Amino acid sequence: MSSVSSSEARHRRRLTNGVKQALRETTVRLASLNHQVSGKLGLRDIDYDCLNLLNMHGPIGPGALAKLAGVHPATMTGVLDRLEKAGWVARDRDPADRRATVLSVRRERGAEVVALYASANAAMDDICDAYTPEQLAVITDFLHRAAEAGLKATQEL
């Protein structure tokens, strides 16, 4: 016999579905925001996505970035050509292997991005102010785990 009543199970399912729906809405809203930011920066969405990934995981090689972005290496070459030409990324020789290339974000362009996210960041600060440090730790853990689940699902496709 289960220790959870059927009404408790239904309530939990509703709450879980609410979380999933909120994540879907958040994903759509953030994708729209990122699309607007990429447009203001004169970048294609995929270029901006790759720039974000490089900012989070770099410096790394083009192959590793292509894998993170889920794009073909030939597509990545075009993305990197555009980002380098626009002054967003630098391609340097890998000090560990002079035959390899390592990519890094050119930090001097960062202020442009920060300015475009200023109102969103201020709103997030206000939202976070309503939570205790312990609650913020739980939210952070949840979001990291949700991101990992999304990555795993992407890899399975």
Side-chain angles (χ1 to χ4, degrees), residues 68-70 147-157:
L68 282 170
E148 284 298 315
L151 176 63
K152 183 178 178 192
T154 300
Q155 291 168 341
E156 290 172 357
L157 288 176

Side-chain angles (χ1 to χ4, degrees), residues 24-153:
R24 288 178 66 202
E25 184 175 356
T26 300
T27 300
V28 169
R29 302 289 185 206
L30 290 176
S32 179
L33 173 62
N34 288 342
H35 175 73
Q36 292 298 316
V37 168
S38 66
K40 297 229 180 248
L41 296 172
L43 298 174
R44 297 179 186 186
D45 289 347
I46 184 64
D47 297 358
Y48 187 64
D49 290 344
C50 289
L51 183 63
N52 271 329
L53 287 168
L54 182 57
N55 195 40
M56 289 187 289
H57 300 283
I60 57 174
L65 182 58
K67 187 173 182 178
L68 282 170
V71 299
H72 191 277
T75 301
M76 184 55 62
T77 299
V79 168
L80 293 175
D81 287 347
R82 289 187 298 271
L83 288 172
E84 184 178 37
K85 183 178 178 184
W88 288 101
V89 301
R91 291 183 201 184
D92 298 303
R93 290 280 164 225
D94 186 339
D97 178 358
R98 300 292 297 158
R99 297 168 295 165
T101 300
V102 67
L103 307 164
S104 59
V105 174
R106 299 191 61 184
R107 299 285 174 212
E108 61 269 16
R109 300 290 308 266
E112 296 172 60
V113 178
V114 170
L116 292 170
Y117 283 106
S119 68
N121 282 328
M124 289 303 300
D125 289 343
D126 290 343
I127 292 167
C128 289
D129 283 345
Y131 294 93
T132 66
E134 294 79 15
Q135 290 171 323
L136 290 173
V138 170
I139 293 167
T140 300
D141 176 65
F142 172 81
L143 291 172
H144 283 298
R145 292 170 70 187
E148 284 298 315
L151 176 63
K152 183 178 178 192

